[in-house]
Amino acid sequence: MAQHDPWQIVDIPPSLRTPAQAAALRAAAGRDAELADVDAHLDEAMDALRAALDPAVSPALMTRLSARLAEEASPAPAESLAASLKGAWARLTQAMTLRWAWAPAALAAALLMVFWPGADEPSTRLRGVSSSAAVSVGLDVAVEGPGGAVSRVEGGLATAGPADGLVFRLPHRGGGQVHLLERAPSGAVSIIFSQSVEGGGGPVRITGPDGAEQRWRPEGEAGVWAYQAVLTAEASVLSAEALWGGALPEGGARSQIVSVRWEGAGE
Amino acid sequence: MRSDDDLMLAHARGEAGAFDVLVKRYQGPLTGFLRQMLGDEALAEDATIETLIKVHKAAARYAPQERFRPWLYTVAYREGVSLLRRRNKGVERATHSLADGEGAVPCYRPRPDATLAQRQALEAVEAVLSRLPEVQRAVFVLFYREGLATADIAEAVSIPPGSVRAYLSMVRKTIRETLPEFSPEAA
C-alpha cells in the first residue's frame, strides 16, 4: 500500500524509501497542492545531507563510557568506606587464617586471581565489599609481573549480602586475567573490561563460566566490553584475558579490567 | 550483520562483545542526534553515555518486540531532555534557542570528504534548527538523519503521530522560507 500512496510514503524517512516510492512521491507532489509541504525535493536534499554527516566513533567518548560503566559497577562512596574497613578486617582475618598452613577451608575460599603480564603499576587495588553480612567468601588476588614473578598479593575474606556486590578494580597494563578459582555462591557476575589503544594493540579474549564464550577483538581497536554471566552452582571459573599479540606500542597501550562485580544470591 | 535485537539478547545472556558491537553501531548516530537536538557538544556526549549506560542496564529486561531502534531513541530523547532541563535549572522547555547565529556553535559534523557546498548546506540547516524548540529539532533529526518512520518518532518523543507530521511540516516550511536553496524552485 505504502508503495503507491504518497500520503503513506511521506511517513517513511527519505533514507528508507525505495526508488519507486521516491519517484511516486515526486510525481504526486507535482500535481497535488496539499503535498507541497512534504515535497520530495526537500526530502531528497536532506537525505543527501545526511549522507555527508560523519558517523565516526569517538575514542574519547568510548573512554568516558568505559569509566562510567565502571562507576555503575562500583559501590557508592559511603559504601566504599565501609567496604574499605571490612576489607581491612577481612585481610587481617585471612592473614590469620593462612597461618593455619593453607587449611583446605581457606583454599576453598580463594575466589579471584589476577595474572598481570608486563605489570608495572604499583597501584593494583582491591576495592569494595558489601555492607551486609549474609554470605562470606574468600578472595585472593595475585598480580604477576614479567617472568612470572608475583609482585604484589592482596587477599582476604569478603562478606557480601544478597543485594550487594563485590567490586574489584584492577588497573594494569599489558593484559590480565581474572579467575574465580572456587565456586562462588550463585548470582550474577559481570566483568566490565575496557581497552584503549594508541598506536597498536592486541586481541582480547573473554571466557565465560562454561569456557565456551570467546571473542577476540581485532588488533588496534579501542572499546568497551561488558561481560555478564550468571554463576550457577556448577560454575566455578570465570576468566577474562587480555592478550597482547605483540610488543606494547610505545607509551600507548592500556587494557584495563575495570571491574568485576558479583552479586551473590546468598546461598 | 547481526541484528540489534540479537545483540541485545546476546548481551543479556552474557555474550562478550555483543554490547561493544551495539556501542560501536550507535555511538556515532546517537551523539549526532543528541548534538543536533541539544545544540551542545558536551551535553550531547553526556546524554550519549547515559543512554548507553541505560541500555546496558536494561539488557536483562529487554524484549525484542520493543524494537531496538525506536526504543533506543526513546531512551536517548528522554535522557537529552532530562539533561537539558537539569542544565537549565528546571526550566520546563528548552530555552537555549539562539538569536540569529549569536553564540551558535555548529553541532553537525561533516564527513572529512564532504564538499564545501555540503558543509555550507549543513551549516545553514543547523542554524535553522538551532532556533527551533527541542521537540521539533528532535522530530526533524530523527526523521531525516536517523531514518525513523513517523510512527516510531511518535513513540520516541511521546507525541501523537499526527503531531510528528505537523512538526515535520512546520520545520520544512521554516527551512524553505529561511533557505531558498531548499525550495523546489531551486531544484
Side-chain angles (χ1 to χ4, degrees):
Chain A
M1 183 66 77
Q3 187 68 31
H4 302 294
D5 182 351
W7 287 105
Q8 291 194 30
I9 295 171
V10 296
D11 282 343
I12 303 169
S15 56
L16 296 184
R17 287 175 200 155
T18 64
Q21 287 173 328
L25 186 60
R26 263 196 311 274
R31 62 174 185 268
D32 187 340
E34 280 191 84
L35 274 169
D37 73 336
V38 288
D39 68 83
H41 167 71
L42 179 59
D43 286 357
E44 284 164 13
M46 293 310 303
D47 200 27
L49 282 185
R50 185 187 63 83
L53 287 167
D54 189 358
V57 170
S58 157
L61 193 143
M62 295 292 268
T63 303
R64 285 187 60 203
L65 175 62
S66 155
R68 194 63 185 74
L69 283 166
E71 280 175 27
E72 284 298 317
S74 298
E79 283 183 318
S80 296
L81 178 59
S84 298
L85 292 172
K86 285 192 176 181
W89 170 250
R91 277 191 289 279
L92 177 62
T93 309
Q94 195 211 30
M96 293 173 69
T97 306
L98 290 178
R99 285 185 183 173
W100 293 96
W102 301 90
L107 283 176
L111 173 67
L112 182 73
M113 177 170 281
V114 175
F115 296 99
W116 186 7
D120 60 1
E121 291 183 11
S123 61
T124 293
R125 292 178 292 137
L126 197 63
R127 185 181 161 198
V129 189
S130 68
S131 57
S132 65
V135 179
S136 289
V137 295
L139 70 93
D140 264 346
V141 175
V143 179
E144 200 169 275
V150 175
S151 58
R152 188 183 176 107
V153 177
E154 292 186 50
L157 291 172
T159 303
D164 302 307
L166 294 174
V167 178
F168 311 103
R169 189 165 289 182
L170 305 162
H172 65 277
R173 288 173 67 97
Q177 223 171 34
V178 176
H179 281 227
L180 305 181
L181 293 180
E182 297 296 332
R183 189 182 73 77
S186 298
V189 172
S190 66
I191 292 180
I192 295 175
F193 189 97
S194 79
Q195 174 175 270
S196 64
V197 178
E198 295 166 22
V204 172
R205 179 175 65 196
I206 297 184
T207 308
D210 56 358
E213 298 280 1
Q214 292 191 0
R215 286 292 184 279
W216 291 85
R217 175 183 301 286
E219 290 195 14
E221 285 188 32
V224 178
W225 283 32
Y227 180 86
Q228 291 181 307
V230 176
L231 275 187
T232 62
E234 292 75 33
S236 61
V237 176
L238 181 67
S239 70
E241 292 177 276
L243 304 171
W244 292 103
L248 289 176
E250 195 175 336
R254 171 178 290 272
S255 64
Q256 182 175 27
I257 293 171
V258 180
S259 72
V260 178
R261 183 180 183 90
W262 167 64
E263 294 176 353
E267 290 180 354
Chain B
M1 191 174 76
R2 291 177 74 180
S3 73
D4 299 334
D5 283 340
D6 187 25
L7 288 166
M8 271 301 272
L9 294 174
H11 179 47
R13 284 195 307 270
E15 181 183 311
F19 183 61
D20 197 46
V21 174
L22 280 173
V23 167
K24 284 188 175 164
R25 190 174 290 176
Y26 283 106
Q27 184 242 296
L30 273 178
T31 311
F33 160 60
L34 288 160
R35 201 185 287 135
Q36 285 190 302
M37 174 191 154
L38 301 172
D40 184 308
E41 178 85 36
L43 210 57
E45 286 209 353
D46 289 348
T48 302
I49 288 168
E50 293 305 319
T51 300
L52 291 170
I53 293 284
K54 282 194 165 62
V55 170
H56 167 64
K57 288 164 79 172
R61 302 186 305 275
Y62 180 76
Q65 58 267 29
E66 291 186 60
R67 293 185 304 132
F68 184 75
R69 287 189 77 225
W71 174 73
L72 175 69
Y73 283 102
T74 303
V75 175
Y77 176 75
R78 288 176 186 168
E79 199 56 47
V81 169
S82 164
L83 283 180
L84 197 58
R85 287 179 180 162
R86 224 176 297 158
R87 190 189 68 169
N88 291 342
K89 295 179 182 167
V91 176
E92 274 302 301
R93 195 179 182 91
T95 56
H96 73 298
S97 299
L98 301 166
D100 290 273
E102 187 188 346
V105 178
C107 285
Y108 67 91
R109 187 172 286 162
R111 295 170 64 95
D113 59 349
T115 64
L116 180 62
Q118 284 173 322
R119 287 168 192 269
Q120 287 173 337
L122 284 167
E123 209 169 315
V125 171
E126 178 75 25
V128 172
L129 291 181
S130 72
R131 291 192 289 272
L132 298 173
E134 100 239 356
V135 65
Q136 288 188 24
R137 268 203 306 275
V139 164
F140 188 82
V141 174
L142 285 174
F143 188 73
Y144 282 109
R145 182 186 163 122
E146 305 310 321
L148 260 64
T150 53
D152 292 336
I153 297 172
E155 191 182 319
V157 184
S158 300
I159 56 177
S163 301
V164 173
R165 292 188 197 100
Y167 283 143
L168 281 173
S169 175
M170 286 162 69
V171 182
R172 286 184 186 112
K173 188 163 178 266
T174 305
I175 286 180
R176 266 199 307 270
E177 286 173 358
T178 316
L179 307 170
E181 63 267 36
F182 284 88
S183 70
E185 291 74 31

